[in-house]
Amino acid sequence: MTDLSRYTTLGTGGPARELAQPESIAEVEELLRRDVPVATIGLGSNLLVADEGVDALVLKLAGGLAAVEVDGPLLRAGGGAANAVCLHRARAAGLGGFEFACAIPGTIGGGIRMNGGAYGGDFSQVLERALVATADGTGWLTPAELGLSYRHSNLRHGQVVLQAELRLAPRPSEEIKAAVRELNARRKEAQPTNRRTFGSVFKNPDHDLSAGRMLEACGLKGHRIGGAQISPKHANFIENAGSARTEDALALIAEARRRAREQYGVELVHEVQLLGDIAIE
Ligand SMILES: Cc1cc2nc3c(=O)[nH]c(=O)nc-3n(C[C@H](O)[C@H](O)[C@H](O)COP(=O)(O)OP(=O)(O)OC[C@H]3O[C@@H](n4cnc5c(N)ncnc54)[C@H](O)[C@@H]3O)c2cc1C
């Protein structure tokens, strides 16, 4: 039994039934042939894992499945490759278009699963195709087949993004560097960057107010339950204030949803993904 709290950026969650770190496509295919539920994690930067643990085989892609190479305008990356490494390689090759991911601390697989994005860019805009494995076989899927839309894809547990090809465009590395510096500065100004969080809790609702502004207006900045608190800097973030448990974060999420419903008639939809036998109220 391997504790997953050290594999999530919030730092909470119990053990997995089993954790495997496959390094090749063949290894993943073999693991998927076992008759057990499978879930894949990236850098755990958008994950809440049940305190009681996860009764599944959890995969964390490594080795060749986290490798990155540049081939003309294509960046070919393993599903377990960190966005930061991909961006670094793209910049070194003078390829732009992936700058939006500079402040998304996840992997390519997690980015596709979530259609991660920031500052007007997202994975759907650069993804050419993704190699996805399931118990029934492995094949390439296009962004349309993956159903990518705002922080959404059709991917479900048991479907593993093994590799992806991103189509980028020539851009001088100095320009990329300057753009990234500016985006990071904007991020630092508005969001908690030196705290343990899992990024945005909720998707932005179809409303004049963003989720963060709405929860701020509900008086939730700094609200604390157990060891978790709503960020005093940005109300759409939950921070681990020291000894948080997943149940504390779930209670904060339920309270935030209740207040948004009561004060604005809005049903906030969570962006964070759940692993294990837990649910959002
Ligand atoms: C400080 C901070 C800032 C953030 N800012 C942003 C932002 O600006 N924009 C944004 O979109 N997100 C943001 N996030 C959230 C998060 O970084 C993204 O959602 C990211 O894409 C998740 O990637 P991950 O590899 O960490 O995935 P995880 O959190 O490990 O997993 C997320 C989901 O993807 C699935 N998954 C992971 N890898 C694979 C794979 N190989 N195959 C199939 N499924 C997989 C998991 O099962 C889970 O359902 C932020 C998070 C933090 C902590």
Side-chain angles (χ1 to χ4, degrees), residues 9 40-47 61 79 103-107 109-111 113-114 116-118 151 157 159-161 187 192 197-199 237 271 273:
T9 52
T40 310
I41 60 169
L43 292 181
S45 63
N46 205 18
L47 264 192
L61 308 184
I104 306 180
T107 60
R113 166 70 180 79
M114 300 306 303
R151 303 296 170 271
H157 289 316
Q159 291 181 286
V160 186
V161 176
R187 175 65 59 119
T197 74
F198 47 79
F237 284 75
E271 184 174 319
Q273 299 296 298

Side-chain angles (χ1 to χ4, degrees), residues 13 26 44 95 99 105 109 115 123-124 138 147 150 156 167 192 197 209 214 216 220 229 231 245 264 267:
L95 290 175
E99 294 83 331
N115 190 22
F123 272 77
S124 73
T138 301
Y150 172 54
R156 294 291 164 262
R167 182 169 291 279
T197 74
L209 292 177
M214 188 174 284
E216 181 177 351
L220 281 168
Q229 73 167 355
S231 167
R245 289 169 54 80
Y264 291 94
E267 283 297 334

Side-chain angles (χ1 to χ4, degrees), residues 133-204:
T134 67
D136 298 326
T138 301
W140 289 97
L141 297 178
T142 62
E145 288 167 324
L146 289 160
L148 300 188
S149 58
Y150 172 54
R151 303 296 170 271
H152 171 85
S153 73
N154 296 333
L155 288 167
R156 294 291 164 262
H157 289 316
Q159 291 181 286
V160 186
V161 176
L162 298 169
Q163 264 178 18
E165 289 176 355
L166 308 187
R167 182 169 291 279
L168 303 177
R171 191 178 189 193
S173 0
E174 282 312 311
E175 235 178 86
I176 297 173
K177 211 173 184 175
V180 165
R181 202 179 308 120
E182 202 234 308
L183 293 180
N184 280 334
R186 276 165 71 185
R187 175 65 59 119
K188 206 168 169 192
E189 177 82 22
Q191 297 178 5
T193 49
N194 56 353
R195 295 278 186 273
R196 282 184 291 165
T197 74
F198 47 79
S200 298
V201 180
F202 298 106
K203 299 184 188 192
N204 282 320

Side-chain angles (χ1 to χ4, degrees), residues 11 37 40 45-46 48 50 53 73 89 111 115 125 132 134-135 166 181 218 229 238-239 249 258 265 274 280:
T40 310
S45 63
N46 205 18
L48 268 177
R89 294 296 297 276
N115 190 22
Q125 297 168 21
V132 177
T134 67
L166 308 187
R181 202 179 308 120
C218 290
Q229 73 167 355
I238 287 176
E239 300 176 355
R258 188 184 66 76
L274 309 180
I280 304 267

